[in-house]
Amino acid sequence: MEDLNEFPDGVGASSGTDEARLTFQNDFAHAQMLVPDDVLDAATQVRISLADAYKRLTRLGRASAIDDQARDDLRAFLLNMWEVITKMQAVMRKDLGVGSGVPVPSERPGAYLPDTQ
């Protein structure tokens, strides 16, 4: 989301995003051998969504002109990803014995929505 907010000044994924992507891929590879199936299933959904978002961001960064509709679509996609992320968090918390397994609404998306007051 931070990279997207840099457009049109930025061009695609930042080095920080690339580093985070590689770290996540490495952590996910380790998790495949360690976590229970329900946690892995939830993490896989997040991994798929993150990969899709990264591809979209990369395509947008390579475009010769900023496509406002593609940017808006990507922003909506990223905001909707929070649902997948909160589901994963709920499954992880339940596995750790500290949660019920019911997703708790995230406060994070509000950080990217316009102030409506």
Side-chain angles (χ1 to χ4, degrees), residues 17-38:
T17 296
D18 285 331
E19 184 178 328
R21 185 176 70 85
L22 293 173
T23 299
F24 180 84
Q25 288 175 341
N26 187 49
D27 291 346
F28 186 82
H30 286 98
Q32 289 177 317
M33 299 299 163
L34 301 172
V35 302
D37 289 345
D38 55 341

Side-chain angles (χ1 to χ4, degrees), residues 6-22:
E6 293 297 317
F7 278 98
D9 300 325
V11 181
S14 67
S15 60
T17 296
D18 285 331
E19 184 178 328
R21 185 176 70 85
L22 293 173

Side-chain angles (χ1 to χ4, degrees), residues 40-117:
L40 185 58
D41 289 344
T44 297
Q45 293 304 311
V46 171
R47 182 186 61 79
I48 290 167
S49 294
L50 287 171
D52 190 13
Y54 185 80
K55 287 176 192 172
R56 291 176 186 216
L57 180 64
T58 302
R59 257 185 267 133
L60 192 59
R62 278 188 261 163
S64 58
I66 298 302
D67 180 345
D68 288 336
Q69 183 62 50
R71 184 178 53 213
D72 292 345
D73 290 347
L74 178 54
R75 182 178 311 285
F77 180 83
L78 291 170
L79 289 172
N80 287 328
M81 276 183 57
W82 283 104
E83 182 178 335
V84 178
I85 291 169
T86 56
K87 286 179 183 178
M88 178 188 70
Q89 290 170 335
V91 171
M92 290 175 158
R93 290 177 50 79
K94 183 177 181 183
D95 180 64
L96 292 171
V98 295
S100 66
V102 176
V104 176
S106 175
E107 296 177 19
R108 186 79 170 144
Y112 298 108
L113 296 176
D115 186 13
T116 56
Q117 297 179 358

